[in-house]
């Protein structure tokens, strides 16, 4: 059942949103991306004449802790939604039920932090049932927690066998990954970077069965270079993964995947923005120096492949982009993605630091989709069944 095909008139609709936003020490919201991402679904429900009951977690409270109260973010939700909302200082029980009962068409109610109850994370069925009793319909629009089997993200769905759906945000997240992994359009290019081979190994293995081009950058590249006999100086390396790195390259060859590693690298004599730097061939890094970004030749090589692609997936930076001296490679990839998208390619930026990077360079709105869910996106890309998704589909 798709949200666009449902009329929520006169329905009490409980929506799992992800309002786990960062707060500063004055308890003000410092980044409202996640609140904004939930607005289309809330607006659909109230425009139809339903009541939107919003539930979320915030932080990792141990019991009831004021600083994790969702009342802190009410002002921001009202600002982003453009209308007042009602905050309830609990999420289950008779007082909440009464407020919901008295609510009118078009009202928006925000419940208190679900994680004030340990039952939420434990996936407690009684707690899920108590939440379900507030509503006639359940929407899951919290992609960031879709990989968790919590009461509000998956267990609750069983109480709405025929009255549940994804919100717009999850729908878009799923469609984007499915488009990249299941489309027959070619070439499909994946760019994987970041610190370690070990944390991306499952995803790399999965991608080798799908992609035409696999670009490896960032700290993990040096493990592949060393595995082939290159000299990598003091660059990041995982010696336990050298054999596996070779195996992956063999598999890429067998699958006719164009496996691209950087050819040159910016080396530094210290892990520091003000370190001395040089550009060298990536297979010949002197002792005492470490590779912290890709060089111009690698940028040109990666650009060419990216600009020729129809589908592009990017996860992980090309260098230590947090330092200005080593951000060039990551900026170049972000720009290449933007250009390819402008030329008609579909581009998805998913998971952790590449999302931070593309936003840092203000290019988030120049790619087709930037995922809101770090861990959830990675698990979905790896082909795992996410409990929050399965609960709606089954
Ligand atoms: P990940 O969370 O695995 O995507 O890794 C992201 C981190 O990898 C960022 O904090 C980068 O600074 C870091 N990184 C990228 N390239 C390198 C490199 N060549 N050496 C050390 N760290 C790197």
């Amino acid at each position: 059942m798709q949200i666009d095909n449902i009329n929520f008139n006169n329905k009490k609709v409980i929506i799992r949103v992800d309002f786990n936003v960062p707060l500063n020490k004055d308890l003000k919201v410092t980044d409202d991306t996640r609140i904004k991402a939930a607005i289309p679904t809330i607006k659909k429900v109230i425009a139809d004449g339903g009541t939107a009951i919003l539930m979320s977690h915030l932080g990792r409270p141990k019991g009831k802790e004021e600083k994790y109260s969702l009342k802190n973010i009410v002002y921001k939700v009202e600002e982003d939604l453009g209308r007042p909302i009602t905050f309830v200082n609990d999420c289950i029980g008779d007082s909440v039920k009464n407020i919901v009962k008295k609510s009118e068409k078009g009202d928006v109610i925000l419940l208190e932090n679900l994680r004030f109850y340990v039952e939420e994370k434990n996936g407690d069925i009684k707690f899920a049932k108590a939440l379900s009793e507030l509503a006639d319909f359940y929407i899951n629009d919290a992609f960031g927690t879709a990989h968790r089997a919590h009461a509000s993200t998956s267990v609750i769905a069983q109480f709405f066998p025929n009255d549940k759906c994804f919100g717009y945000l999850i729908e878009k997240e799923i469609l984007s990954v499915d488009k990249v992994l299941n489309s027959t359009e070619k070439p499909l290019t994946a760019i994987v970077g970041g610190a370690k081979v070990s944390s991306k190994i499952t995803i790399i293995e999965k991608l080798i069965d799908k992609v035409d081009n696999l670009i490896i950058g960032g700290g993990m590249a040096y493990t592949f270079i060393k595995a082939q006999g290159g000299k990598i100086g003091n660059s990041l390396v995982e010696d336990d993964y050298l054999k596996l790195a070779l195996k992956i390259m063999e598999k890429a060859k067998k699958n006719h995947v164009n496996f691209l590693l950087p050819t040159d690298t910016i080396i530094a004599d210290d892990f520091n923005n003000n370190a001395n730097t040089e550009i060298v061939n990536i297979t010949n890094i002197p002792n005492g120096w470490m590779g912290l970004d890709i060089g111009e030749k690698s940028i040109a090589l990666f650009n060419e492949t990216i600009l020729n692609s129809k589908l592009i997936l990017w996860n992980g930076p090309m260098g230590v982009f947090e330092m200005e001296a080593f951000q060039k490679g990551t900026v170049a990839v972000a720009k290449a993605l933007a250009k390819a998208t402008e030329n008609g390619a579909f581009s998805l930026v998913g998971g952790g630091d590449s999302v931070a990077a593309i936003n840092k360079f203000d290019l988030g709105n120049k790619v087709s989709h930037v995922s809101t869910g770090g861990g959830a996106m990675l698990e979905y890309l790896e082909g795992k069944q996410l409990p929050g998704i399965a609960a709606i589909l089954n």
Side-chain angles (χ1 to χ4, degrees):
M1 209 172 354
Q2 282 195 313
I3 182 165
D4 261 339
N5 301 332
I6 301 164
N7 188 332
F8 296 103
N9 189 25
N10 278 327
K11 288 201 164 49
K12 310 279 189 212
V13 184
I14 193 158
I15 312 174
R16 178 53 158 102
V17 289
D18 181 2
F19 283 174
N20 184 30
V21 290
L23 301 178
N24 64 17
K25 63 176 185 344
D26 299 322
L27 302 178
K28 294 283 176 242
V29 178
T30 53
D31 180 352
D32 64 343
T33 309
R34 286 177 172 165
I35 299 177
K36 283 196 173 128
I39 299 295
T41 297
I42 303 169
K43 283 199 166 154
K44 156 75 176 157
V45 169
I46 56 179
D48 278 358
T51 300
I53 308 159
L54 312 179
M55 58 175 171
S56 178
H57 74 286
L58 175 65
R60 294 169 180 215
K62 295 186 173 62
K64 278 193 185 183
E65 284 187 76
E66 275 298 295
K67 66 175 174 180
Y68 293 116
S69 170
L70 279 167
K71 77 168 183 279
N72 296 316
I73 72 155
V74 166
Y75 81 99
K76 199 42 117 183
V77 179
E78 291 184 332
E79 210 174 288
D80 289 340
L81 197 57
R83 48 159 299 149
I85 66 169
T86 305
F87 175 72
V88 194
N89 63 2
D90 205 341
C91 55
I92 52 169
D94 287 343
S95 64
V96 188
K97 267 190 193 160
N98 279 334
I99 290 171
V100 171
K101 209 169 169 187
K102 280 190 209 137
S103 66
E104 295 177 7
K105 281 169 169 240
D107 282 351
V108 178
I109 299 169
L110 175 63
L111 306 182
E112 182 56 290
N113 194 342
L114 293 161
R115 290 199 190 161
F116 282 0
Y117 289 86
V118 288
E119 288 87 344
E120 162 65 359
K121 277 180 94 169
N122 294 344
D124 184 272
I125 192 157
K126 280 193 200 129
F127 180 68
K129 185 162 191 290
L131 289 168
S132 78
E133 283 166 0
L134 299 171
D136 315 308
F137 200 99
Y138 169 63
I139 297 181
N140 189 2
D141 209 17
F143 187 64
T145 46
H147 57 320
R148 309 276 182 222
H150 294 170
S152 69
T153 59
S154 78
V155 182
I156 188 174
Q158 64 195 275
F159 299 106
F160 300 93
N162 301 309
D163 297 296
K164 57 184 178 179
C165 72
F166 296 123
Y168 290 115
L169 175 65
I170 291 204
E171 232 178 49
K172 189 164 179 230
E173 297 272 9
I174 301 176
L175 284 178
S176 301
V177 179
D178 289 352
K179 184 161 174 144
V180 171
L181 293 187
N182 302 330
S183 166
T184 50
E185 267 189 277
K186 278 173 172 297
L188 162 57
T189 298
I191 308 148
V192 184
K196 291 181 173 174
V197 184
S198 53
S199 63
K200 306 272 167 86
I201 200 72
T202 326
I203 197 160
I204 291 175
E205 287 185 323
K206 167 96 184 164
L207 289 170
I208 280 189
D209 293 329
K210 299 266 177 189
V211 300
D212 303 297
N213 306 299
L214 181 57
I215 295 176
I216 301 280
M220 70 173 66
Y222 304 93
T223 298
F224 287 94
I225 300 293
K226 182 169 178 183
Q228 297 174 90
K231 274 182 63 198
I232 58 159
N234 291 18
S235 307
L236 203 61
V237 67
E238 288 175 285
D239 284 319
D240 296 349
Y241 281 80
L242 296 174
K243 267 200 192 137
L244 192 57
L246 285 180
K247 245 178 144 177
I248 287 172
M249 293 179 79
E250 269 164 35
K251 189 172 172 198
K253 202 165 168 192
K254 219 172 99 200
N255 285 12
H256 305 290
V257 173
N258 180 25
F259 190 88
L260 290 175
L261 283 165
T263 53
D264 57 350
T265 175
I266 300 182
I267 54 170
D269 59 357
D270 192 15
F271 191 78
N272 181 330
N273 195 34
N274 300 315
N276 295 308
T277 62
E278 278 182 40
I279 298 193
V280 298
N281 189 308
I282 199 165
T283 57
N284 203 10
I285 302 175
N287 283 338
W289 293 71
M290 61 191 102
L292 296 183
D293 197 3
I294 57 174
E296 293 291 341
K297 284 185 195 145
S298 314
I299 290 178
L301 178 74
F302 293 177
N303 265 352
E304 195 189 334
T305 303
I306 294 170
L307 291 175
N308 278 325
S309 304
K310 282 272 172 295
L311 296 164
I312 310 159
L313 165 72
W314 181 29
N315 174 286
M318 296 293 102
V320 185
F321 75 101
E322 298 92 336
M323 297 185 204
E324 214 179 318
F326 311 109
Q327 68 175 26
K328 242 185 181 172
T330 306
V331 175
V333 163
K335 283 190 174 156
L337 244 73
K339 187 94 203 291
T341 312
E342 198 184 314
N343 295 343
F346 182 87
S347 55
L348 165 63
V349 183
D353 270 343
S354 35
V355 173
I358 199 138
N359 288 332
K360 180 174 174 191
F361 309 134
D362 264 343
L363 290 166
N365 56 358
K366 298 264 165 60
V367 295
S368 311
H369 185 64
V370 179
S371 174
T372 55
M377 175 55 86
L378 284 185
E379 290 194 19
Y380 195 59
L381 278 170
E382 285 167 8
K384 288 190 186 144
Q385 265 236 342
L386 308 190
I389 304 232
I392 296 288
L393 296 178
N394 299 335

